[in-house]
């Protein structure tokens, strides 16, 4: 039960402040009053050092991946402001509200990272009786793949299933689609809203099992006097990025909760497949 945000550019390093504007960044960060179980970000950038240089260890990377995760709410973590000003050609951000009383431990913080992929998720993968998938010891996920995510939560299991399909040879967007189809067989009403990022692509999916906000989410938002913001809780929206000449330079996609005037709503079961190399993107259904 979280807030997601991601962007991909045409290979140009831009900060979150550049993408959203400082006011919207602060409004997004302020959602951590409610989504206060930690936060994280994974950023892609071109290192200043020459790539592929062998200096005694592994060759220097062509793309640098920076990941920061904290169990402290974003509004209380000064690192958030520093990273919001840090340029990147692509990044995914996550504000956490832990689902099903899963523990507030670093292993369960997003983004998860494995095999060059960063992953964030908004949802609680549970059955009709509220039993979370982590309690289902017989769910057929490869435990070695699950271990590679470093996590113990329902989101980590979701990521592991995606990784399995990638291992079967599916491209990134189809691996996400296949994973959702599989998980829905046992957990049809769960939310699979997510963003996954490679060194070349960002895939953002809106796949809510219940498009209407659950009473529990409304209740939580009401406790903070922000009940109106819960109405479109499961919604994800996107906006093309353009330069001063109107040329497309990428895309930003986000959960709701702050001003997104002029953005376009993703349909349920629809995803954005974007390049963080040239800024192009397309829409597809799962």
């Amino acid at each position: 039960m979280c807030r997601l945000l991601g962007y991909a550019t045409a290979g140009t390093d831009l900060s979150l402040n550049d993408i959203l504007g400082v006011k919207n960044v602060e409004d997004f960060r302020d959602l951590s009053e409610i989504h206060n179980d930690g936060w994280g970000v994974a950023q892609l950038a071109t290192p200043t050092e020459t790539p592929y240089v062998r200096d005694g260890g592994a060759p220097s990377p062509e793309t640098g991946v920076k990941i920061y995760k904290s169990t402290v709410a974003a509004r209380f973590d000064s690192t958030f402001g520093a990273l919001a000003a840090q340029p990147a050609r692509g990044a995914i951000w996550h504000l956490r509200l832990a689902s099903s009383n899963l523990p507030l431990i670093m292993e369960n913080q997003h983004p998860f990272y494995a095999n060059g992929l960063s992953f964030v998720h908004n949802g609680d993968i549970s059955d009709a009786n509220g039993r979370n998938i982590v309690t289902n010891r017989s769910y057929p996920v490869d435990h070695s793949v699950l271990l590679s995510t470093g996590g113990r939560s329902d989101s980590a299991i979701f990521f592991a299933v995606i990784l399995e399909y990638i291992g079967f040879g599916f491209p990134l967007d189809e691996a996400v689609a296949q994973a959702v189809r599989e998980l829905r067989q046992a957990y049809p009403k769960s939310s699979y809203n997510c963003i996954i990022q490679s060194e070349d692509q960002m895939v953002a999916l809106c796949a809510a099992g219940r498009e209407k906000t659950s009473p529990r989410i409304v209740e939580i938002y009401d406790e903070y006097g922000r009940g109106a913001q819960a109405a479109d809780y499961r919604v994800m929206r996107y906006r093309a990025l353009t330069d001063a000449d109107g040329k497309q330079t990428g895309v930003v996609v986000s959960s709701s909760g702050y001003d997104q005037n002029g953005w376009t709503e993703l349909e349920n079961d629809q995803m954005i497949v974007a390049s963080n190399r040239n800024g192009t993107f397309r829409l597809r259904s799962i």
Side-chain angles (χ1 to χ4, degrees):
M1 297 189 290
C2 308
R3 301 285 80 184
L4 315 177
L5 189 155
Y7 66 87
T9 76
T12 303
D13 289 347
L14 296 171
S15 70
L16 186 61
N17 290 337
D18 295 329
I19 298 292
L20 292 186
V22 173
K23 173 62 166 60
N24 276 341
V25 170
E26 285 304 309
D27 288 346
F28 175 74
R29 182 182 187 178
D30 190 51
L31 290 170
S32 66
E33 178 184 21
I34 299 171
H35 298 270
N36 54 23
D37 292 326
W39 72 282
V41 59
Q43 298 172 306
L44 303 177
T46 302
T48 55
E49 61 185 327
T50 304
Y52 313 122
V53 173
R54 294 187 176 275
D55 55 1
S60 55
E62 182 267 339
T63 296
V65 182
K66 303 176 184 178
I67 297 179
Y68 180 87
K69 300 194 283 188
S70 173
T71 57
V72 175
R75 66 193 186 119
F76 297 131
D77 191 339
S78 61
T79 305
F80 185 100
L83 292 178
Q86 179 72 51
R89 77 160 187 262
I92 58 176
W93 297 72
H94 185 270
L95 305 177
R96 186 179 182 216
L97 180 61
S99 59
S100 298
N101 298 309
L102 294 177
L104 188 61
I105 55 176
M106 192 61 75
E107 294 96 314
N108 287 342
Q109 297 303 119
H110 305 220
F112 296 100
Y113 183 81
N115 296 355
L117 299 170
S118 312
F119 175 77
V120 293
H121 170 227
N122 170 29
D124 182 333
I125 305 178
S126 298
D127 63 19
N129 297 310
R131 291 186 294 260
N132 193 274
I133 191 173
V134 297
T135 68
N136 184 355
R137 303 299 182 188
S138 64
Y139 192 82
V141 62
D142 186 319
H143 286 277
S144 65
V145 178
L146 178 58
L147 284 172
S148 76
T149 71
R152 309 180 191 176
S153 66
D154 49 357
S155 298
I157 293 173
F158 183 13
F159 186 28
V161 177
I162 294 172
L163 291 172
E164 286 185 296
Y165 280 101
I166 290 171
F168 297 152
F170 288 95
L172 187 59
D173 58 318
E174 184 58 24
V176 173
Q178 291 284 352
V180 173
R181 293 180 194 128
E182 177 188 317
L183 286 160
R184 276 182 168 167
Q185 293 181 36
Y187 301 94
K189 296 299 183 181
S190 295
S191 172
Y192 300 99
N193 289 9
C194 66
I195 308 177
I196 190 167
Q197 175 180 256
S198 73
E199 292 185 4
D200 300 304
Q201 283 187 310
M202 179 189 74
V203 175
L205 171 67
C206 180
R210 299 180 179 90
E211 294 186 58
K212 185 177 179 180
T213 306
S214 70
R216 177 56 183 151
I217 293 296
V218 174
E219 183 180 299
I220 291 170
Y221 270 68
D222 277 338
E223 289 174 3
Y224 291 89
R226 303 173 70 159
Q229 289 180 296
D232 60 354
Y233 176 75
R234 297 292 186 196
V235 170
M236 294 179 70
R237 298 183 178 92
Y238 68 94
R239 174 174 59 84
L241 304 176
T242 55
D243 62 18
D245 298 322
K247 180 182 178 181
Q248 183 178 304
T249 57
V251 65
V252 57
V253 60
S254 178
S255 303
S256 59
Y258 60 98
D259 182 23
Q260 295 169 343
N261 186 39
W263 295 43
T264 302
E265 186 173 323
L266 269 179
E267 296 178 7
N268 201 33
D269 290 344
Q270 188 177 53
M271 68 168 65
I272 288 174
V273 184
S275 167
N276 58 48
R277 299 286 186 176
N278 59 31
T280 60
F281 67 92
R282 61 184 173 88
L283 302 176
R284 59 155 290 188
S285 298
I286 64 171

